[in-house]
Amino acid sequence: MVRTGCRLDIRIGEGAGHLVVQATGDLSLRTVSELRDALLKAAAEQPRGLVCDLREVRATREALTILHVVADQVADWPASPLALVAGGRTLRYQLDRLGLRRRLPVVADLDAAAAALRQSP
């Protein structure tokens, strides 16, 4: 598959007791609303947890700030904690610099995300 440089594909699936929003492609200011809308739609279903899988995403720092907005809105559903999966060192570093680790679990894989959701209050 050839990517055009500003395409973001999003799939929503089920994990063990939680929903997984998996993004693939370029997360930029042009595509950030797609991720935001998918996460908020999934959270509105009030699952027991929500995982945002960013392992296949190339992201700008500016676009990643949308995760703060989503975290604020998902906090209104305390029974649906949110965890981020970021496999690459660069992406985890960007999330750290934005302070997202202080707000949400940021882990390397789906198993760790499921464990973090189970431990969430």
Side-chain angles (χ1 to χ4, degrees), residues 54-71:
L54 301 174
R55 290 177 297 173
E56 301 291 325
V57 166
R58 292 168 302 281
T60 65
R61 186 170 184 220
E62 295 80 14
L64 289 170
T65 61
I66 196 62
L67 296 169
H68 279 292
V69 173
V70 171

Side-chain angles (χ1 to χ4, degrees), residues 13-20 48-49 51 110-111 114-115 117-118:
E14 291 189 26
H18 59 272
L19 291 179
V20 178
R48 290 185 291 181
V51 173
L110 292 174
D111 290 336
L117 291 176
R118 285 191 299 272

Side-chain angles (χ1 to χ4, degrees), residues 70-83:
V70 171
D72 287 343
Q73 293 183 349
V74 171
D76 291 338
W77 295 294
S80 296
L82 174 63

Side-chain angles (χ1 to χ4, degrees), residues 98-113:
L98 291 170
L100 281 157
R101 274 192 196 262
R102 291 188 300 267
R103 302 190 68 191
L104 316 160
V106 177
V107 298
D109 59 48
L110 292 174
D111 290 336

